[in-house]
Amino acid sequence: MTPLPIHNYLSLTPEQCHSRLQNAKQQLGNHLIILGHHYQRDEVIQYADHVGDSLKLSRLAAQSGARYIVFCGVHFMAEVADILSSPQQTAILPDLAAGCSMADMANLAKVEDAWDQLSKLLGPDPVLPITYINSAADLKAFCGKHGGTVCTSSNAQAVLTWSLQQRQKVLFFPDQHLGRNTGYRMGIPLNEMVIWDFDQPQGGLTLPQLQAAKLILWDGYCSVHQLFQPTDIEHFRQRHPTGKVVAHPECCLEVCQQADVIGSTEKIIETVMSSPPGTHWLVGTEWHLVNRLARQAQATGKKAEFMSSTHCQCSTMYRIDLPHLLWVLENLQQGTIVNPISVPSEIAALARLALQRMLAL
Ligand code: CIZ
Ligand code: SF4
């Protein structure tokens, strides 16, 4: 059947979307699972069967056995859902333009080039490649092929500890901040963590710098989390001397050094929600999560405040809206799959290997 065109949906009112979404969701029943990442808008989150971080959601989708996995998140997340689910399941991303600018900062050609240069400079096998889950499937496959693995913001320390037991050095991509913040907490000196500038020959590094390095950090970052500044924390502490600060490890080192707690989206929520009534938190992560958390915290006598005076939200997460969600569901109702995310089988097999190594840790 010809797909229903997206332009029929873009001018619908929220009310029209809501009544049709409820109907579509009900009709698709347990053939469908809708996953909502913490950074999604509230109006989308209300349709999610599960809300969580990318890995937790993909595991739940695979366990559910639902035929259609609609991932309200960004592209790499739908890829992970496809890799971890069975061949009978299909992962769907409501808007294909929902990418991750940090994930796009590393690509296979540049990583292979870095790998070749490192092998020539340092000899065979001293380096293990590790990718943050925020990366394309072919980079996860690259790690699978070369003995490496994947990490999330929850398990980065366990993964790096394991990695440095396997080999002397780690090439970590794409997020320099997660790599550096984790290395710092493990006691790795800052001069043993170098930045690989992928636009420079030899990553812009000298041979002695590379020989001394334990972590070779890709020059990538999240433009949302990089907006938080140490001065945001200083101003908060002046206003609220007994307040507490929690930050995501995608924030820069200076912000994480000043935070009381550093953690993934799941850990941030758990930390705030399990704190005693009366606690006032400053939270450094995406705006939609913090806004929702602030409402939940308030209901239990706590306060959660957004870390920046700039309204920093993830613009690609924001692309998933009610019209796009309705468009994919009504297409499914008539038996048409729009926007399937399907990782080629050879890449999926190696990426799965890298993910399984992580899950076994
Ligand atoms: O893995 C995820 O879902 C991301 C991007 C962040 C986090 O800390 O959970
Ligand atoms: Fe990517 Fe940053 Fe958006 Fe997360 S918040 S999806 S890392 S751009």
Side-chain angles (χ1 to χ4, degrees):
M1 187 142 347
T2 323
L4 300 165
I6 181 67
H7 61 77
N8 288 359
Y9 290 80
L10 297 177
S11 55
L12 294 178
T13 64
E15 293 70 31
Q16 288 168 324
C17 288
H18 283 307
S19 72
R20 283 165 65 174
L21 271 165
Q22 274 154 16
N23 179 44
K25 213 183 153 189
Q26 202 173 9
Q27 270 207 20
L28 289 160
N30 55 17
H31 291 304
L32 167 74
I33 190 167
I34 301 179
L35 307 176
H37 189 268
H38 289 302
Y39 297 162
Q40 290 286 303
R41 313 163 179 233
D42 289 352
E43 65 261 37
V44 168
I45 284 292
Q46 66 178 294
Y47 289 101
D49 297 301
H50 299 285
V51 180
D53 67 13
S54 54
L55 185 67
K56 171 179 149 186
L57 291 175
S58 296
R59 292 166 101 171
L60 286 169
Q63 282 161 15
S64 79
R67 209 162 133 202
Y68 306 120
I69 304 166
V70 173
F71 211 126
C72 298
V74 293
H75 193 270
F76 76 84
M77 299 180 180
E79 282 187 334
V80 174
D82 179 52
I83 292 164
L84 294 182
S85 60
S86 73
Q88 292 75 33
Q89 295 178 290
T90 303
I92 295 167
L93 183 66
D95 184 344
L96 293 181
C100 164
S101 53
M102 175 217 280
D104 293 343
M105 288 175 191
N107 63 44
L108 189 59
K110 285 187 173 174
V111 169
E112 277 179 338
D113 177 50
W115 188 252
D116 290 346
Q117 292 191 59
L118 287 169
S119 305
K120 282 192 195 111
L121 290 161
L122 300 168
D125 287 343
V127 189
L128 194 71
I130 302 295
T131 188
Y132 186 22
I133 195 159
N134 293 38
S135 56
D138 57 2
L139 292 180
K140 295 185 177 81
F142 177 90
C143 291
K145 186 172 158 190
H146 293 279
T149 182
V150 180
C151 77
T152 69
S153 41
S154 322
N155 63 17
Q157 184 155 343
V159 169
L160 282 184
T161 303
W162 171 83
S163 304
L164 290 169
Q165 285 159 1
Q166 312 303 306
R167 299 201 194 149
Q168 293 156 26
K169 299 171 196 291
V170 166
L171 173 64
F172 187 88
F173 41 87
D175 186 24
Q176 57 167 292
H177 297 297
L178 177 64
R180 189 181 297 104
N181 285 319
T182 310
Y184 184 78
R185 274 184 291 161
M186 290 164 65
I188 301 176
L190 287 173
N191 63 356
E192 293 178 18
M193 298 191 269
V194 293
I195 285 282
W196 182 271
D197 178 346
F198 43 81
D199 288 326
Q200 302 278 337
Q202 219 166 284
L205 296 162
T206 62
L207 186 58
Q209 280 175 315
L210 281 167
Q211 281 164 337
K214 272 204 157 62
L215 298 187
I216 302 165
L217 305 171
W218 200 256
D219 192 10
Y221 57 86
C222 166
S223 47
V224 180
H225 288 86
Q226 214 173 249
L227 287 171
F228 301 117
Q229 295 297 321
T231 48
D232 295 326
I233 301 182
E234 284 155 27
H235 294 154
F236 173 78
R237 295 216 194 268
Q238 278 158 14
R239 282 184 283 122
H240 305 286
T242 57
K244 297 252 188 199
V245 179
V246 57
H248 195 279
E250 288 172 21
C251 297
C252 68
L253 179 71
E254 294 73 19
V255 163
C256 287
Q257 278 173 325
Q258 292 201 37
D260 299 295
V261 182
I262 303 165
S264 65
T265 53
E266 293 280 315
K267 182 165 173 189
I268 289 174
I269 294 168
E270 190 192 297
T271 302
V272 171
M273 292 312 290
S274 64
S275 65
T279 318
H280 189 158
W281 288 95
L282 184 72
V283 186
T285 193
E286 208 271 346
W287 186 83
H288 287 91
L289 181 159
V290 183
N291 214 12
R292 234 178 347 261
L293 181 59
R295 288 201 302 273
Q296 286 162 12
Q298 196 179 21
T300 50
K302 285 146 326 212
K303 212 167 166 191
E305 184 178 323
F306 188 57
M307 194 180 278
S308 175
S309 52
T310 323
H311 174 92
C312 25
Q313 64 175 19
C314 176
S315 57
T316 48
M317 285 275 180
Y318 194 69
R319 296 198 74 107
I320 311 295
D321 57 11
L322 294 180
H324 282 85
L325 183 58
L326 181 63
W327 172 63
V328 297
L329 296 199
E330 289 195 342
N331 270 295
L332 288 176
Q333 274 183 292
Q334 65 155 36
T336 315
I337 299 175
V338 287
N339 292 4
I341 302 299
S342 174
V343 178
S345 57
E346 328 77 78
I347 294 176
L350 284 169
R352 198 174 302 115
L353 176 67
L355 284 160
Q356 279 162 352
R357 275 190 199 123
M358 170 184 85
L359 296 172
L361 285 179

